[in-house]
Amino acid sequence: MSSTAKQSVRSYQNYINGKFVSSATGETFAVYDPSTEEVIAQVAAGGAADVDSAVKAARAAFDTGDWGKTSAQDRGRILFKLAEKIRANAAMLSELECRNTGKPLVEAEYDIADAATCFEYYGGLANKVMGQTMPVPANGLSFTLKEPMGVAGQIIPWNYPLVMAAWKLGPAIAAGCTIVLKPAEQTPCTMMEAARWFEEAGLPPGVVNIVNGMGETAGAALVAHPGVDKIAFTGSAAVGKIIVKSAADTLKRVTLELGGKSPNIFFAEADWEAAVDGALFGVFINQGEVCSAGSRILVEKKIYSKFVEAMTEKAKKIKLGPPMDRETKMGPLVSREQYDRVTSYLELGKKEARVASGGGRPKEFAKGYYVQPTIFCDVNNNARIAREEIFGPVATVIPFENEAEAIRIANDTPYGLAAAVWTRDIFKAFRVVKAVRAGIVWINHMQPTYVEAPWGGYKQSGFGRELGPWGLEEYLETKQVFVNLDETPIGWY
Ligand code: NAI
Ligand code: MG
């Protein structure tokens, strides 16, 4: 199918208390296909009033509904059912995700399968949450109960829409929380399709609510709402800081996943083919719109020139094209706003460093937010293009002399989400792993992410962890219970 095939404009509402409803104001906003710049959906523009209805529904479902009586196993079954529906509708969801984000169809197919896998993982984990007993003195018994945190507000980004929703909904439902989720305004489509299955999957009204809208209105109202116990956010560091400040007023629990400027480190003895490929994959997958993008490529001086040359040669062959084409390896950026942001960094980069390849808009597309995969070389780590998250297909290549310098440069960043090291020297590999301040470190790979393993950052990449049992823990409170086994009075007074 060609991406230029005309599609009818879809229409999505909010999902509150088990019903699809328009926004309180009746307003909608447009959602685009970034490869054609055409409107593909009109979506309810939620604001403070819609958030308030959703939070009230979530609050009631948590405080007085039957949700608290569902067994952990039944919550697991709901998650399995959601996964089943996603898998059964994978073709439709992949196509929609592809069309809405601009990512290649092949990548969208991975994403949709990943979202289902995440629901399955938390479906299985739901009834494996256990407390502990503590060795208090013999006249007492002390143990912990793990309890849901309450109403969770979840704000997600546009780069992996349904995957990000699954990472947040999965553990929250498993824990027994109730939820108000706000999709990214650029990419609400797949979430709203999946919301149609909530009831059939067994979610009672009010347990999961979806409010669409802008970050500054709907998102901000969710963060400020006194009925919300916890905020889970993935997005920019700038918004993360706003959220922490706003959440302070009601002392909400907050977890943040904020992206980074992750180093991908190449030593001279690394496997050559794998290394060149890994450098490109690390930074260009998903158009570079990846929180863990290996956007700082650190290369040992001994191999530096040859490495830049090899990367450049391969980067020039990356197939840009309509995301629905199966041969396409890179689609357009998600939005006009992101295109403007990334191209402004390209202009800045031309002043700060040398362009090895790319550097602008590819000539072959009349429409769409396409940007050439761009490699800046001879970059100083103090340059803005090496310090600020660009979130597009833009690599900065930085030479280093030796291991100590590689580590120093790798850590010289306000961020700490991810890092990777490429070498065949196992001693060096593990020394670097221990020295790098980042939440995820790959050896001889970059980007694979598994639902079983924790995900999250050090430093200004945020706090808290998603995925695995760590992700579930973020939705749980710990209650300590002490039982007095003495039948005699305390006898103090
Ligand atoms: P953003 O951080 O503004 O948006 C992410 C989510 O937060 C969206 O759902 C948005 O509606 C919401 N939001 C925005 N302002 C808010 C507020 N004041 N209160 C509550 N929620 C709010 O990201 P944006 O503007 O789309 O992209 C800007 C930059 O952010 C990108 O260039 C990239 O560097 C970074 N980013 C990082 C992501 C990651 O995975 N860590 C994902 C998306 C963007
Ligand atoms: Mg923003």
Side-chain angles (χ1 to χ4, degrees):
M1 184 191 262
S2 133
S3 65
T4 50
K6 272 274 177 204
Q7 300 264 318
S8 59
V9 175
R10 293 158 193 266
S11 152
Y12 295 114
Q13 296 173 292
N14 294 323
Y15 183 77
I16 297 174
N17 208 20
K19 291 197 171 64
F20 288 97
V21 291
S22 301
S23 65
T25 61
E27 282 167 29
T28 64
F29 62 92
V31 169
Y32 297 86
D33 174 336
S35 71
T36 61
E37 305 180 28
E38 280 166 17
V39 175
I40 58 167
Q42 283 291 341
V43 181
D50 308 278
V51 166
D52 187 54
S53 311
V55 172
K56 282 188 175 130
R59 196 73 260 166
F62 187 81
D63 293 334
T64 55
D66 289 339
W67 184 236
K69 296 180 204 133
T70 52
S71 68
Q73 186 152 48
D74 281 342
R75 294 198 300 277
R77 288 193 179 106
I78 289 169
L79 291 166
F80 286 130
K81 187 79 188 170
L82 283 173
E84 197 184 304
K85 296 299 279 186
I86 290 170
R87 290 200 189 281
N89 292 276
M92 177 276 286
L93 291 170
S94 306
E95 195 182 313
L96 191 56
E97 199 81 302
C98 164
R99 202 173 281 285
N100 192 180
T101 59
K103 69 175 68 196
L105 180 60
V106 183
E107 290 185 38
E109 286 170 348
Y110 272 107
D111 290 1
I112 297 307
D114 268 358
T117 300
C118 182
F119 283 122
E120 286 157 358
Y121 177 84
Y122 284 108
L125 197 59
N127 63 348
K128 290 155 196 81
V129 174
M130 289 174 275
Q132 291 172 306
T133 56
M134 282 69 69
V136 294
N139 64 341
L141 171 64
S142 174
F143 60 93
T144 58
L145 296 175
K146 303 301 280 188
E147 298 184 338
M149 203 165 260
V151 175
Q154 306 183 325
I155 300 174
I156 61 172
W158 42 261
N159 53 342
Y160 290 91
L162 198 63
V163 174
M164 291 295 105
W167 283 23
K168 290 191 171 36
L169 291 176
I173 293 170
C177 289
T178 62
I179 297 143
V180 179
L181 182 145
K182 193 198 83 64
E185 58 271 31
Q186 298 84 352
T187 58
C189 299
T190 48
M191 178 75 268
M192 294 321 296
E193 292 292 337
R196 294 191 288 121
W197 306 317
F198 284 172
E199 191 178 339
E200 186 187 336
L203 283 167
V207 172
V208 180
N209 306 275
I210 314 285
V211 179
N212 288 293
M214 301 303 126
E216 295 73 8
T217 50
L222 185 56
V223 176
H225 202 295
V228 175
D229 298 294
K230 179 229 161 82
I231 292 288
F233 170 76
T234 300
S236 61
V239 172
K241 289 171 192 179
I242 294 172
I243 286 177
V244 170
K245 285 181 190 147
S246 168
D249 288 336
T250 43
L251 285 176
K252 291 181 177 67
R253 283 86 179 111
V254 177
T255 49
L256 302 173
E257 204 270 71
L258 304 176
K261 198 73 194 178
S262 298
N264 197 2
I265 308 168
F266 295 88
F267 287 101
E269 69 283 355
D271 180 281
W272 185 261
E273 289 296 315
V276 173
D277 216 43
L280 298 174
F281 185 84
V283 66
F284 291 147
I285 192 76
N286 204 52
Q287 297 75 239
E289 296 165 317
V290 181
C291 52
S292 55
S295 51
R296 288 187 303 144
I297 298 173
L298 278 47
V299 183
E300 192 167 351
K301 276 183 185 159
K302 265 186 248 171
I303 56 164
Y304 178 78
S305 304
K306 266 188 68 190
F307 197 84
V308 172
E309 224 171 88
M311 272 182 70
T312 301
E313 208 172 298
K314 246 187 151 167
K316 285 184 174 149
K317 294 189 193 131
I318 292 174
K319 177 126 181 48
L320 265 76
M324 287 295 287
D325 278 1
R326 287 204 170 268
E327 281 70 47
T328 292
K329 294 278 168 147
M330 189 181 284
L333 298 181
V334 71
S335 64
R336 162 70 58 187
E337 184 190 351
Q338 198 59 16
Y339 174 87
D340 289 344
R341 182 178 293 130
V342 171
T343 49
S344 80
Y345 274 107
L346 295 181
E347 292 319 305
L348 174 66
K350 286 170 193 166
K351 292 180 206 136
E352 289 186 325
R354 195 162 67 75
V355 180
S357 76
R361 187 186 166 78
K363 310 252 172 320
E364 60 268 38
F365 305 103
K367 275 194 169 167
Y369 308 128
Y370 292 93
V371 172
Q372 289 172 318
T374 298
I375 300 172
F376 286 110
C377 61
D378 307 347
V379 180
N380 186 307
N381 194 55
N382 292 321
R384 278 184 58 201
I385 54 165
R387 300 206 80 78
E388 297 172 19
E389 185 174 55
I390 299 175
F391 229 66
V394 185
T396 57
V397 192
I398 305 170
F400 68 83
E401 195 73 54
N402 53 32
E403 185 182 328
E405 196 186 17
I407 290 165
R408 185 189 60 72
I409 297 172
N411 285 333
D412 181 8
T413 168
Y415 290 110
L417 183 59
V421 54
W422 300 70
T423 174
R424 283 189 277 197
D425 177 339
I426 60 162
F427 302 100
K428 195 190 278 179
F430 286 112
R431 282 196 303 268
V432 172
V433 163
K434 287 189 74 175
V436 169
R437 302 278 298 157
I440 302 118
V441 187
W442 290 277
I443 298 174
N444 295 335
H445 210 324
M446 192 168 206
Q447 300 313 352
T449 304
Y450 297 99
V451 69
E452 296 84 358
W455 185 268
Y458 285 22
K459 296 158 73 178
Q460 290 192 32
S461 290
F463 37 78
R465 290 293 177 272
E466 297 193 279
L467 302 182
W470 301 269
L472 185 56
E473 187 66 34
E474 304 284 3
Y475 290 92
L476 295 168
E477 291 279 17
T478 299
K479 180 176 282 173
Q480 194 250 127
V481 184
F482 179 82
V483 186
N484 180 13
L485 300 178
D486 263 345
E487 290 187 46
T488 53
I490 299 172
W492 192 260
Y493 302 109

